[in-house]
């Protein structure tokens, strides 16, 4: 994989991971309820969940690439449109009443790990997202397995670090992040970022096709 393409993937992944989707909101709610004691468990659960979802997604993607180069190019266009759709949906679904807080006495590190893993890995939207996002950084004319290994390792590492940072930040900035309007505007900003990325991806496809 070309180094500049990998750097682009890193930048895009970091931008996407900062968007407060279901997994990030779950991490924040646990951190606000229990504090930093469950931060590592949250990050580990997110990492495992993303590893499972991304591996499953790329297994199907690899079969598609090998089957038809034309379908793979079409998938890139569909992926760009899907990112724009997700952005609009995220803006429309931004929570206005704040985060739902779990009962602190029922929270343990093992429960947090299992819950975050399940939410991240078993959400059908996660697999659909990876199928839409990752092809933008795959070269169909190069060996797929090394590219997949690099992308998975990179994304899972960034996802774990992002979740840990969110959990620690929530614990330290509890009074600010707990405000309903803060989560609302962060979510809407994330939706705007997704729309922008989808548009840029479509533009890139047009200029290189």
């Amino acid at each position: 994989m070309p180094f500049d393409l990998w750097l682009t993937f890193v930048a895009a992944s970091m931008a996407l991971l900062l968007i407060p989707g279901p997994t990030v909101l779950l991490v924040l709610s646990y951190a606000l309820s229990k504090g930093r004691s469950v931060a590592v468990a949250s990050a580990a659960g997110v990492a495992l969940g993303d590893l499972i979802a991304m591996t499953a997604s790329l297994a199907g993607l690899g079969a598609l690439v090998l089957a038809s180069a034309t379908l793979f190019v079409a998938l890139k266009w569909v992926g760009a449109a899907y990112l724009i759709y997700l952005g609009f949906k995220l803006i429309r679904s931004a929570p206005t009443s704040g985060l739902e807080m779990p009962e602190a006495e029922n929270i343990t590190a093992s429960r947090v790990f299992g819950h975050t893993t399940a939410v991240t890995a078993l959400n059908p939207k996660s697999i659909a997202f990876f199928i839409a996002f990752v092809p933008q950084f795959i070269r169909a004319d190069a060996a797929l397995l090394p590219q997949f290994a690099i992308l998975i390792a990179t994304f899972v590492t960034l996802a774990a670090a992002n979740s840990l940072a969110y959990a620690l930040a929530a614990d330290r900035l509890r009074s600010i992040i707990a405000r309903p309007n803060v989560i609302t505007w962060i979510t809407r900003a994330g939706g705007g970022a997704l729309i922008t990325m989808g548009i840029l991806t479509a533009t890139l496809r047009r200029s290189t096709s």
Side-chain angles (χ1 to χ4, degrees):
M1 174 176 288
F3 185 67
D4 59 340
L5 183 61
W6 178 77
L7 285 180
T8 304
F9 177 76
V10 170
S13 298
M14 291 177 64
L16 289 170
L17 287 168
L18 290 173
I19 297 171
T23 299
V24 168
L25 294 179
L26 180 64
V27 169
L28 287 176
S29 66
Y30 276 130
L32 291 174
S33 298
K34 193 69 173 180
R36 65 176 60 196
S37 62
V38 296
V40 174
S42 297
V46 170
L48 179 58
D50 276 328
L51 176 62
I52 295 171
M54 198 170 184
T55 302
S57 303
L58 296 191
L61 180 61
L64 177 62
V65 174
L66 295 176
S68 172
T70 302
L71 285 177
F72 180 66
V73 173
L75 179 63
K76 290 190 174 187
W77 282 100
V78 173
Y82 185 65
L83 292 177
I84 295 173
Y85 163 76
L86 285 180
F88 279 111
K89 188 172 182 180
L90 191 62
I91 291 174
R92 290 172 58 90
S93 63
T96 57
S97 58
L99 294 172
E100 182 179 347
M101 300 297 174
E103 295 294 333
E105 61 270 16
N106 296 325
I107 298 176
T108 62
S110 60
R111 178 170 296 182
V112 170
F113 173 78
H115 194 188
T116 52
T117 299
V119 168
T120 307
L122 301 180
N123 184 355
K125 293 179 181 178
S126 297
I127 296 178
F129 169 76
F130 284 127
I131 292 177
F133 175 64
V134 174
Q136 319 303 333
F137 306 92
I138 293 292
R139 291 178 55 194
D141 59 342
L144 294 179
L145 286 180
Q147 294 183 80
F148 287 172
I150 292 171
L151 294 178
I152 289 174
T154 300
F155 192 89
V156 169
T157 300
L158 292 174
N162 180 71
S163 298
L164 183 61
Y166 260 117
L168 295 177
D171 183 53
R172 296 180 65 88
L173 305 174
R174 185 182 304 269
S175 61
I176 297 176
I177 295 179
R179 297 175 184 172
N181 62 322
V182 172
I183 294 298
T184 299
W185 285 107
I186 289 178
T187 304
R188 289 173 178 170
L194 273 178
I195 293 171
T196 301
M197 183 165 293
I199 293 173
L200 290 176
T201 298
T203 304
L204 178 63
R205 297 275 75 79
R206 187 180 301 112
S207 62
T208 57
S209 58

